[in-house]
Amino acid sequence: MNNKFKPATSTVQRGNRVWLNRFAGLLVVASLTACGSSVKLDDVPVEDRTGGAAGQAGQGGTGSGVDPRGVSGVEVPSMDSQQPEAMARVVYFDYDSFEVRGEYAATLEANARYLKANSSRKIALEGHTDERGGREYNLALGQKRAEAVRRSLSLMGVSESQMEPVSFGEEKPAALGMDEVSYAKNRRVELTYR
């Protein structure tokens, strides 16, 4: 057998490759077409909510598309909201855990006494995690940590209406670093008074 000559590709094989390439190209085009939007951005109606004549048209003269009687207020803690002094307001957690450690019993008891004595005060229980794990997992873990602190405070007599557990997951780290000391500072629940 002579190695100088390679067997020629048959016409049928070349034809199959051509059709296969064309078919793949059509699939790409069809996929991109399916992802497209038929919404014309130039035709989107714009509503003026400044209270001018344009905003009052078709709104019953209210100047807004929202009925103010159906909207309740939202309480957002201000940056200058007074936090109780000389009282610890952070509970730390072990890796991948939402169990409140016994060493934070005194911290929770002090906060519970304060909340029971000041029934008009509310508290946000902000759950945090370190950066290990996926975003959704860390949001869920942060929520479980906040709920664990809420349950502990509830057992100590704090009214449910005074507490709001919320999770920030890994989004607001207390320490920036890729070491165990930084991770430990980020696995926490912060008690923020409103």
Side-chain angles (χ1 to χ4, degrees), residues 27-39:
L27 281 177
V28 169
V29 169
S31 297
L32 291 175
T33 303
C35 293
S37 173
S38 62
V39 175

Side-chain angles (χ1 to χ4, degrees), residues 73-152:
V74 175
E75 293 182 35
V76 177
S78 65
M79 294 303 285
D80 59 347
S81 190
Q82 179 120 7
Q83 303 296 312
E85 291 185 30
M87 185 168 50
R89 292 180 288 109
V90 180
V91 175
Y92 293 98
F93 291 82
D94 291 328
Y95 173 71
D96 203 26
S97 172
F98 55 93
E99 183 178 328
V100 178
R101 298 189 314 220
E103 66 191 85
Y104 295 104
T107 299
L108 294 176
E109 287 170 1
N111 283 278
R113 277 194 303 275
Y114 180 84
L115 285 165
K116 289 191 294 185
N118 298 282
S119 60
S120 64
R121 294 300 301 263
K122 295 185 185 283
I123 191 169
L125 306 170
E126 300 172 349
H128 300 271
T129 67
D130 59 35
E131 65 185 35
R132 295 175 288 184
R135 185 175 185 275
E136 292 82 14
Y137 178 82
N138 285 337
L139 282 171
L141 181 57
Q143 188 68 34
K144 287 178 182 180
R145 288 175 175 167
E147 290 288 341
V149 171
R150 181 199 56 78
R151 278 191 303 276
S152 296

